[in-house]
Amino acid sequence: METKDYLYFIKLVECRSYIKTAQFFGITQPAISAMVKRLEKGIGTRLFIKRGSNSSLHITNAGKVVYRAAKELVRIETAMKVDAKRASKNQFKLAYSELAGSLLLPAIITKLNQGNLLANVETYQENSHLLEGHILEGKYDAIIFSRLTDEYIKGIKSVVLQKHEYQLIVPASSELAKKSEIDLFTIGTIPLIMRHKRFLSRTALDRIFAKINFHPQKRLIVDSIDATLELVRNNMGVAYLMNSTVKNIPGVVAVPLVPSQKQYVYQCLGIRENAIPNEFQKACLEIIQEIKS
């Protein structure tokens, strides 16, 4: 069976429409019907059931198995083609998340430059969750990303480079700045400045809320770290960020939370487990793994 059949099948499962699937690929509806017949004949069982002309398309249990396997086969073939093309090139594609990049990228770039490798290195910034999917697809040679735990991620070999703590960021002039640790229940009516749900610091904070059943009386959602720090500096609230975020920044102080509310974040180097880096890529990876706190 050809890869295009699996691509057609995946789309058909996801949109449940022969017409929409055909339109998406710019082919005829009979071509999609023929694909289904080929797959069903090759596998020996029904993959779809449609009851009546106006009823929705129902995927069978066998179809669900094929869908899962088809996605994996397409992913493997895509990664294979990318890896094969890249294997003969002295090129290294490194992607990083916002915070992990801000903490580690300057040191990484400096070391790669000292090793005369920088000219063939490309860097990209993405959200941590996107990075995990894209490294598995073979889009990048390596990723620098943040995680709330150092547990195993299927298909990704990761090396912890740094460990940081989420803390409460408070105005340097406030009484809170004099404390050795802070209990969230004591901030009262002070606005708690948080990031949107797509950010890791918000995920960590939401976990604390659920764990201790805490609900801030006032909250403010802000995307920008710079804007967040400016608000804290001007006594407009307190924020929840990595302690390293405010290092050497005047007007704000990072204070640890009490032990029951502590959360840690790990900055990691990630590569695909089945990746076969060439000599140039190995040299880049070795340099990055040396950068630990």
Side-chain angles (χ1 to χ4, degrees):
M1 298 177 189
E2 298 183 15
T3 301
K4 67 177 183 179
D5 281 348
Y6 292 128
L7 291 170
Y8 297 162
F9 179 79
I10 291 167
K11 188 64 178 179
L12 181 59
V13 170
E14 292 175 350
C15 72
R16 305 295 176 97
S17 168
Y18 282 82
I19 295 175
K20 290 180 180 179
T21 301
Q23 289 175 341
F24 180 84
F25 290 103
I27 59 178
T28 64
Q29 186 175 335
I32 300 301
S33 299
M35 171 275 297
V36 173
K37 290 179 180 178
R38 282 195 299 274
L39 286 180
E40 290 183 334
K41 182 179 179 179
I43 294 169
T45 188
R46 294 287 301 277
L47 303 178
F48 294 100
I49 297 174
K50 189 172 183 181
R51 301 181 179 89
S53 58
N54 295 323
S55 62
S56 61
L57 196 63
H58 174 72
I59 181 171
T60 65
N61 288 333
K64 293 176 183 178
V65 170
V66 175
Y67 171 73
R68 184 171 62 248
K71 292 193 72 173
E72 182 64 11
L73 287 170
V74 169
R75 183 192 68 76
I76 291 172
E77 180 168 337
T78 300
M80 176 192 68
K81 291 177 179 178
V82 171
D83 287 347
K85 290 179 180 178
R86 196 178 294 157
S88 60
K89 296 180 180 179
N90 285 339
Q91 185 182 50
F92 185 72
K93 291 189 175 183
L94 175 67
Y96 57 91
S97 63
E98 179 186 10
L99 286 179
S102 66
L103 292 168
L104 294 168
L105 196 62
I108 290 172
I109 294 299
T110 299
K111 290 288 186 180
L112 290 173
N113 187 49
Q114 292 172 349
N116 297 316
L117 301 170
L118 191 58
N120 294 326
V121 174
E122 297 178 10
T123 62
Y124 308 84
Q125 180 177 310
E126 280 191 346
N127 179 276
S128 283
H129 299 299
L130 292 176
L131 289 176
E132 292 176 18
H134 286 160
I135 189 70
L136 290 173
E137 294 170 1
K139 187 175 181 179
Y140 306 119
D141 296 302
I143 57 175
I144 302 295
F145 66 118
S146 302
R147 300 175 58 195
L148 293 180
T149 67
D150 58 354
E151 65 186 11
Y152 171 72
I153 300 176
K154 184 178 180 181
I156 298 178
K157 178 183 177 182
S158 61
V159 178
V160 176
L161 301 178
Q162 292 184 350
K163 176 183 176 183
H164 298 272
E165 184 179 337
Y166 282 117
Q167 296 183 354
L168 208 62
I169 313 304
V170 304
S173 58
S174 70
E175 289 298 314
L176 290 173
K178 301 176 183 178
K179 294 181 176 293
S180 59
E181 59 183 26
I182 296 175
D183 187 326
L184 285 173
F185 285 100
T186 65
I187 65 175
T189 59
I190 300 174
L192 181 56
I193 305 172
M194 305 179 293
R195 305 196 78 186
H196 282 279
K197 288 184 177 292
R198 67 180 181 276
F199 293 104
L200 209 58
S201 62
R202 177 61 181 276
T203 301
L205 192 55
D206 286 342
R207 288 185 182 182
I208 295 177
F209 290 169
K211 178 182 177 182
I212 66 176
N213 194 26
F214 173 75
H215 304 282
Q217 296 182 41
K218 294 182 179 180
R219 62 172 67 191
L220 176 61
I221 311 298
V222 177
D223 249 358
S224 166
I225 291 179
D226 289 340
T228 297
L229 295 176
E230 188 63 27
L231 288 169
V232 173
R233 188 182 292 112
N234 292 328
N235 288 289
M236 297 300 294
V238 295
Y240 184 78
L241 296 169
M242 277 197 301
N243 54 344
S244 54
T245 305
V246 299
K247 187 177 181 180
N248 300 323
I249 295 181
V252 297
V253 174
V255 182
L257 293 175
V258 295
S260 63
Q261 298 169 11
K262 286 185 181 295
Q263 284 274 9
Y264 296 94
V265 58
Y266 299 84
Q267 314 305 322
C268 303
L269 165 69
I271 60 174
R272 275 200 347 273
E273 285 186 337
N274 58 355
I276 305 176
N278 60 28
E279 293 305 312
F280 179 80
Q281 294 156 2
K282 285 180 182 178
C284 293
L285 290 170
E286 288 173 1
I287 284 178
I288 295 173
Q289 290 183 63
E290 293 174 357
I291 302 173
K292 291 192 175 185
S293 57

